[in-house]
Amino acid sequence: MDEKRLIEQKIFNDTSTYNDIMNVPYHQSKRHLPMNQLDRAFQFAPFGALEGFNDLIQEKTELYERKKYTTSETELTIERQLKYLQAHSLKVDVNYFNDESGYYEHFKGYLKSLDWKKGRADFDELSVAILNIRSIKLIKK
């Protein structure tokens, strides 16, 4: 036998440290009924709470397959446009990625507020992540 197997056998097969409790009879509680096997199985399934999590990730991945990520130049342009719109109340056409539907959509309206910390721009009836904005165009009257 090689040295690795000897060490494994000593670590995992040596039960001599448990000799003091090996022959102790099982204590049946007088206060509590024994747990049925199904409940016992659930007790030892700690990752059962994550069931369906992979499906949720796959669903979101499919939604984001159509998203085109902007370049840093485009992000700077959108940032400048949003700062300008903060100072000037102008009607704009916003092309943005809707992460609920997984498609690009248009919205026409006025900028109400910006939250740079949260990365969100609030328009009339729409709150959108700034990184989901693809373009902002001024609507001429």
Side-chain angles (χ1 to χ4, degrees):
M1 247 189 244
D2 65 337
E3 186 178 349
K4 184 177 177 185
R5 286 188 183 246
L6 286 172
I7 292 170
E8 284 179 1
Q9 188 175 22
K10 182 171 180 161
I11 291 173
F12 298 114
N13 294 335
D14 183 19
T15 60
S16 63
T17 56
Y18 302 106
N19 281 341
D20 59 330
I21 62 169
M22 290 295 266
N23 295 321
V24 174
Y26 176 72
H27 172 70
Q28 181 73 35
S29 174
K30 293 178 183 173
R31 287 186 176 184
H32 304 287
L33 294 173
M35 186 182 290
N36 68 40
Q37 283 190 329
L38 185 61
D39 289 341
R40 185 175 295 279
F42 284 134
Q43 179 182 359
F44 293 103
F47 297 105
L50 298 176
E51 192 171 309
F53 188 64
N54 286 337
D55 295 336
L56 181 64
I57 290 173
Q58 184 62 35
E59 184 180 310
K60 279 294 183 184
T61 303
E62 290 170 5
L63 283 177
Y64 275 80
E65 283 178 350
R66 290 180 284 275
K67 183 174 182 179
K68 306 282 190 280
Y69 292 92
T70 57
T71 63
S72 59
E73 297 156 8
T74 307
E75 286 179 21
L76 287 173
T77 302
I78 290 169
E79 185 178 322
R80 280 194 303 268
Q81 289 173 328
L82 289 172
K83 286 179 181 177
Y84 184 82
L85 289 173
Q86 267 185 309
H88 304 87
S89 180
L90 299 169
K91 191 170 185 177
V92 290
D93 179 7
V94 181
N95 185 356
Y96 69 99
F97 181 78
N98 184 338
D99 50 8
E100 294 293 320
S101 69
Y103 290 97
Y104 279 93
E105 297 178 6
H106 284 272
F107 175 80
K108 295 178 182 177
Y110 295 90
L111 178 69
K112 284 192 169 186
S113 65
L114 280 173
D115 189 343
W116 293 106
K117 287 183 181 179
K118 291 183 181 178
R120 299 208 61 88
D122 295 324
F123 294 90
D124 293 330
E125 305 105 27
L126 173 74
S127 178
V128 63
I130 295 170
L131 290 176
N132 283 350
I133 297 174
R134 186 171 22 181
S135 67
I136 300 174
K137 293 181 182 172
L138 182 65
I139 297 177
K140 296 181 182 178
K141 296 179 182 181

